[in-house]
Amino acid sequence: MLHTDLVEVTSPEELGELLGEPTPGALVKVRPSLHEHDRQWLAASSLCVVATSGADGSCDASPKGDPAGFTLVLDDTTIAIPERPGNRRADGFRNILANPHVGLLYLIPGRPDTLRINGRARLVRDAPFFDDMVVKGNRPQLALLVEIDQVFYHCPRALLRGGVWQPETWEPDAAPSRAVLAKAHDRRPESVAELEAYYGPQYLERLYQ
């Protein structure tokens, strides 16, 4: 559908006029290496969203989750993220092979602020530190090695506005179940009932298989 009533922003100057100048704190908070507070945050974080872009400009944002502290800090400017069994699409990894720049967003359950890390990534298929990434017997076949360019904290407004950690706002049944979505969009041959069973409690037992 063609929208003819849109008023677009087409230049950095126009964007600046619309939003205003960044606050001094927003400009000076960016750092090139990890602080002890960042290490503590990474040790407590159980979820990271990895944003990548391919050579053709196509984008991907992929969640990575594991027990808290799954991101391994190798030194003040290098971290490693283990890859676990999944659907093997590897969209973000394919992007990294063409364009190493990544953006990472780290969350701690219950905290509305986030930690952001921007840097350059490499795919590593083995290294001595893989032994430190074993979870439930799963030693990763692949890890994302990120050389840090920027690290900074993001204010809590977005998660507060969304009520992300407020259980009274949660409506998990407002959208179709994972089984219904898999049947409709993943073209799974099983019935919805069979898929409901597949994604049931025993699904947790197969997370690292």
Side-chain angles (χ1 to χ4, degrees):
M1 179 182 295
L2 180 63
H3 295 278
T4 58
D5 56 349
L6 299 178
V7 181
E8 293 188 42
V9 175
T10 58
S11 71
E13 293 76 19
E14 186 180 1
L15 182 63
E17 291 175 2
L18 183 66
L19 299 181
E21 295 300 320
T23 63
L27 293 175
V28 302
K29 67 180 179 179
V30 180
R31 293 168 279 110
S33 60
L34 296 173
H35 184 277
E36 177 58 28
H37 292 157
D38 308 325
R39 289 173 175 262
Q40 294 172 8
W41 189 283
L42 292 173
S45 177
S46 57
L47 180 64
C48 173
V49 179
V50 180
T52 61
S53 177
D56 61 354
S58 59
C59 296
D60 182 74
S62 179
K64 305 295 181 184
D66 249 341
F70 71 97
T71 293
L72 192 64
V73 177
L74 301 179
D75 56 48
D76 286 346
T77 58
T78 315
I79 59 175
I81 303 170
E83 174 65 3
R84 302 299 180 190
N87 62 17
R88 298 182 290 277
R89 281 185 56 100
D91 298 300
F93 292 152
R94 296 180 192 280
N95 284 347
I96 288 168
L97 291 175
N99 174 9
H101 296 282
V102 297
L104 312 178
L105 181 70
Y106 279 95
L107 296 94
I108 295 177
R111 285 287 296 262
D113 45 344
T114 55
L115 177 66
R116 291 171 60 177
I117 295 177
N118 298 322
R120 290 152 291 127
R122 290 180 285 162
L123 303 183
V124 180
R125 63 184 300 168
D126 200 7
F129 60 77
F130 276 39
D131 292 336
D132 298 323
M133 293 179 160
V134 176
V135 175
K136 294 187 176 181
N138 178 269
R139 188 179 190 271
Q141 293 183 317
L142 191 69
L144 192 64
L145 191 71
V146 179
E147 297 176 9
I148 296 171
D149 291 327
Q150 297 177 319
V151 55
F152 58 96
Y153 289 96
H154 196 103
C155 78
R157 288 190 180 95
L159 272 68
L160 290 174
R161 288 168 180 154
V164 174
W165 305 123
Q166 298 174 19
E168 64 272 17
T169 70
W170 297 351
E171 294 185 50
D173 297 327
S177 70
R178 176 62 197 145
V180 171
L181 295 174
K183 180 65 176 177
H185 302 287
D186 298 353
R187 302 181 183 180
R188 297 284 295 267
E190 304 95 322
S191 68
V192 171
E194 290 172 328
L195 289 169
E196 292 286 6
Y198 175 80
Y199 288 111
Q202 68 273 22
Y203 189 72
L204 293 174
E205 301 173 3
R206 301 191 300 269
L207 292 180
Y208 292 91
Q209 298 176 3

